[in-house]
Amino acid sequence: MNICVYGASSTTIDKAFIEAGEILGEEMAKRNIGLVFGGGAAGLMGAVARGEHRFGGRIIGIAPNFFNVDGVLYEHCTEFIYPENMRERKMKMEELSDAFIITPGGIGTFDEFFEILTLKQLNRHNKPIAILNTNGYYDSLQKFIQNGIDNHFMNEECKKLYFISDSPAELLDYIEAYDPTETPISKFKDIPHN
């Protein structure tokens, strides 16, 4: 199994976020789960990769060549893929992954989360999506989504499209136990799957 992990590349975030990322990577490697990620050496991307590497896990980095400058990309990847652009990067990350974990991040991470969530809602995939809510980082996201539900912009069932926890182990337990038949995505949008 490979899990795509999205997350911050920032070097200025609190060390509690970095520690949680490293624990996630370590736990993935211990469970023989490979990492697919955006290839960055810093922030939560680097933290998860370091944790995975520490226990000998498989690491697939994916980033366009324009990121390939000193110190930006994680150097201990098992494999590195260089797509032409950011859109191809996201497509390759999705293609190579059996599940997705969103760790704390900024605009890029939000973009990746909402795209993969939208694709699930539209019945383009039925892979598990989990959110690592370190230090309550995504509490406001939960409120934001609930506001959309309360104002009838989305279905209450949409909250079942993902799982959220502050525990890396709980996220991985959820992913490993995930049964696609228990998440009937046809409830969310009536669009046939190819």
Side-chain angles (χ1 to χ4, degrees):
M1 174 187 284
N2 288 329
I3 296 177
C4 178
V5 178
Y6 301 122
S9 60
S10 173
T11 58
T12 59
I13 56 179
D14 188 275
K15 68 178 183 178
F17 295 106
I18 299 297
E19 288 168 2
E22 290 186 358
I23 291 168
L24 173 62
E26 290 172 2
E27 188 67 24
M28 286 171 60
K30 289 175 185 176
R31 297 184 190 211
N32 196 31
I33 297 171
L35 169 66
V36 175
F37 79 125
L44 276 160
M45 280 197 282
V48 177
R50 286 192 303 276
E52 182 87 34
H53 182 255
R54 190 172 293 126
F55 286 87
R58 299 178 314 278
I59 304 170
I60 301 172
I62 304 175
N65 261 316
F66 64 79
F67 279 127
N68 196 10
V69 294
D70 288 348
V72 172
L73 298 180
Y74 187 69
E75 61 183 12
H76 299 295
C77 292
T78 312
E79 179 183 357
F80 216 104
I81 299 169
Y82 296 96
E84 288 296 313
N85 54 53
M86 297 295 277
R87 287 182 178 152
E88 286 184 19
R89 178 198 206 189
K90 288 194 290 185
M91 287 174 58
K92 196 67 177 173
M93 290 167 79
E94 178 192 347
E95 176 188 317
L96 296 176
S97 302
D98 303 296
F100 306 92
I101 292 178
I102 295 82
T103 66
I107 291 171
T109 305
F110 301 156
D111 170 61
E112 290 161 333
F113 167 62
F114 281 112
E115 179 169 330
I116 210 67
L117 184 69
T118 300
L119 289 171
K120 186 169 184 177
Q121 182 193 34
L122 293 175
N123 205 9
R124 300 298 94 185
H125 75 84
N126 195 356
K127 300 174 183 179
I129 300 171
I131 299 173
L132 181 59
N133 193 27
T134 306
N135 286 357
Y137 184 80
Y138 283 114
D139 288 353
S140 55
L141 174 70
Q142 289 285 79
K143 291 177 185 174
F144 180 69
I145 289 173
Q146 188 60 50
N147 185 56
I149 291 166
D150 292 345
N151 285 283
H152 310 288
F153 285 94
M154 62 184 83
N155 189 316
E156 181 77 29
E157 295 289 315
C158 288
K159 289 193 290 189
K160 295 179 182 176
L161 291 170
Y162 62 91
F163 175 77
I164 186 166
S165 172
D166 63 358
S167 164
E170 279 186 13
L171 297 187
L172 296 175
D173 289 344
Y174 165 77
I175 288 169
E176 290 182 324
Y178 184 79
D179 180 354
T181 64
E182 292 181 6
T183 307
I185 52 181
S186 59
K187 284 184 176 183
F188 309 115
K189 287 283 181 184
D190 190 20
I191 298 174
H193 186 69
N194 290 349

